[in-house]
Amino acid sequence: MKYFLSSERARFWILVAIVSISGFSQGMLLPLIAVIFEQDGVSSALNGLSATGLYIGIIAVAPFMEPQLRKFGFKPLILVGGAMVILALLSFPLWKSVLFWFVLRILIGVGDQALHFSTQTWITSTSPHHKLGRNIAIYGMSFSVGFGAGPLFVPLVEVFEALPFIISGVLCLISWSLVFFLRNDFPEHSASSMGAKGTLQRFRTALVIGWVAFLPPLGYGFLEASLSAIYPVYALRQSFDISMVSYILAAFSIGAIATQLPLGELSDRIGRKKVLMIALSGGGLSFLVATFFESNAWLTLALFVVAGMFVGSTFSLGISYMTDLMPKELLPTGNLLCGVAFSVGSLIGPAAGGLFLEVTEQLSFLLLITGILLSLFTIIAFKGPKKQIA
């Protein structure tokens, strides 16, 4: 047992478990609070704005994250980030207020940034190249499993409003405790990586080298956050009940889980760019078709499964693509920028989605998602690098 806990295999699966529970808490929190606020009469625009708190926290702390990782290592950052998430989740039932919950979401964002940045960099830094797509696919799949299970707990709000928050906090505490069994490690660094000037230079260099790889996480952040925070509001206005909304959101994640590993392994063989183009075009067309059938809840659910099968892997594919393009000493910076791109998309998604519902009452909300995915497909197809590192 002691040997297993000190092995790379154990470390990988513990990190995967942590990310899965983190995905669960995010997948539950966004639609849960959206439903609570909608039932309390909070406007869709304010509802969407409130959801941005999580991503404000992620973006605000991002510039300070890489120096701390290089100074203290992976394990301390995961422990601190997990502790912040747990305390914030258990604080939601203490006081029901839009402002207070907004602040708690910011704290969860800070904790999630520390947790995801550390686990993601740890995995990409230690995975052999021929297994990179597979390992990142498992990483992304674990998040999708948790994120997909999260909405299924939203109906518990009808039993006891604080119950979903308590369950999520306890699960996070259990997974967080596994980190204590890991041995600390540090990322590779060069002499230029230390200090503010070195950090800024690394950001500039990483952006020049890998900008195209940051677009899929950006798009997935927009998609995930707007679907979780705003689609429930739209669906409730379409006369779907809360349970059906939970099933539809879970269906998207089920589709993502089903193809995460096959698409990751396919990208190891034929290249990330080709698989990304297939994923973005297929997802965009699936959501477009769904706009014609969204009055039928079960058909909408089926199309969400198909859409998830295509675009549910875009975040993990973007990370793998970035790892292909980036020198190894820049991997922490690249992983950080992937997280920032995801957060920027997540920050824009709920606000833009809420505003879309306010000003375009006659249009399907899914048209917004379709436009984003097909725009990213066009940029990557025509502006992405012609070659990538083998």
Side-chain angles (χ1 to χ4, degrees):
M1 182 69 175
K2 184 177 180 181
Y3 170 77
F4 174 73
L5 289 173
S6 63
S7 70
E8 290 188 8
R9 179 167 165 246
R11 181 183 65 205
F12 175 75
W13 288 110
I14 287 174
L15 295 178
V16 164
I18 293 167
V19 170
S20 178
I21 299 301
S22 174
F24 170 82
S25 66
Q26 287 190 35
M28 183 206 70
L29 203 61
L30 287 167
L32 173 64
I33 295 178
V35 167
I36 291 173
F37 282 168
E38 175 69 9
Q39 291 178 337
D40 289 349
V42 177
S43 71
S44 60
L46 183 58
N47 205 330
L49 184 62
S50 173
T52 64
L54 177 71
Y55 309 105
I56 289 173
I58 291 173
I59 294 171
V61 77
F64 310 100
M65 202 54 57
E66 186 182 358
Q68 304 311 312
L69 178 66
R70 294 185 181 279
K71 182 177 181 180
F72 298 107
F74 297 109
K75 180 176 174 179
L77 255 67
I78 295 174
L79 289 173
V80 171
M84 292 183 68
V85 171
I86 293 165
L87 292 174
L89 283 170
L90 296 178
S91 297
F92 275 96
L94 299 179
W95 184 27
K96 189 177 180 182
S97 161
V98 174
L99 180 60
F100 180 60
W101 284 14
F102 180 75
V103 173
L104 290 180
R105 282 174 154 186
I106 291 176
L107 293 177
I108 289 177
V110 173
D112 272 340
Q113 173 68 301
L115 190 151
H116 284 283
F117 172 54
S118 301
T119 55
Q120 187 177 299
T121 305
W122 211 345
I123 291 173
T124 55
S125 299
T126 56
S127 294
H129 189 266
H130 68 282
K131 289 185 177 180
L132 177 63
R134 171 188 172 275
N135 286 354
I136 295 300
I138 293 173
Y139 172 89
M141 185 170 63
S142 69
F143 184 85
S144 297
V145 169
F147 199 87
L152 298 177
F153 284 71
V154 173
L156 292 178
V157 73
E158 297 177 336
V159 178
F160 174 42
E161 193 171 88
L163 185 58
F165 297 107
I166 295 171
I167 290 175
S168 182
V170 170
L171 289 175
C172 285
L173 179 62
I174 293 171
S175 66
W176 178 76
S177 64
L178 296 175
V179 183
F180 287 98
F181 293 105
L182 299 180
R183 186 167 52 226
N184 194 22
D185 197 4
F186 295 82
E188 289 189 13
H189 69 277
S190 60
S192 62
S193 67
M194 308 309 291
K197 185 176 180 181
T199 300
L200 290 174
Q201 180 60 42
R202 291 165 69 83
F203 270 75
R204 284 194 293 266
T205 304
L207 282 169
V208 170
I209 294 173
W211 66 271
V212 69
F214 304 136
L215 294 179
L218 176 76
Y220 189 73
F222 186 101
L223 168 69
E224 183 184 80
S226 58
L227 282 181
S228 297
I230 301 301
Y231 183 74
V233 176
Y234 177 75
L236 289 174
R237 294 179 182 181
Q238 297 288 107
S239 300
F240 292 0
D241 60 35
I242 294 176
S243 295
M244 194 66 216
V245 175
S246 298
Y247 297 151
I248 290 173
L249 293 178
F252 176 84
S253 295
I254 289 171
I257 293 163
T259 57
Q260 191 94 209
L261 189 55
L263 287 178
E265 292 180 335
L266 182 63
S267 74
D268 282 334
R269 293 198 296 270
I270 69 172
R272 322 295 176 198
K273 181 177 178 178
K274 291 179 182 177
V275 178
L276 276 167
M277 290 169 62
I278 294 170
L280 291 168
S281 59
L285 292 175
S286 299
F287 280 118
L288 180 61
V289 172
T291 63
F292 296 101
F293 301 102
E294 59 188 351
S295 60
N296 185 318
W298 289 106
L299 195 50
T300 299
L301 183 147
L303 287 166
F304 265 60
V305 173
V306 175
M309 291 174 72
F310 280 107
V311 296
S313 300
T314 49
F315 180 72
S316 57
L317 286 170
I319 295 172
S320 300
Y321 196 13
M322 177 278 300
T323 306
D324 286 341
L325 300 173
M326 207 70 64
K328 194 146 190 176
E329 67 272 12
L330 283 176
L331 277 181
T333 310
N335 277 285
L336 183 62
L337 288 173
C338 279
V340 170
F342 173 82
S343 301
V344 169
S346 301
L347 187 64
I348 297 171
L355 185 61
F356 186 87
L357 287 188
E358 291 287 327
V359 301
T360 59
E361 297 181 0
Q362 303 303 316
L363 294 179
S364 169
F365 172 73
L366 298 180
L367 285 175
L368 177 64
I369 304 297
T370 300
I372 293 295
L373 293 176
L374 295 182
S375 296
L376 291 178
F377 165 82
T378 303
I379 295 171
I380 292 173
F382 295 102
K383 297 294 185 181
K386 303 300 181 185
K387 297 181 180 179
Q388 64 188 69
I389 298 171

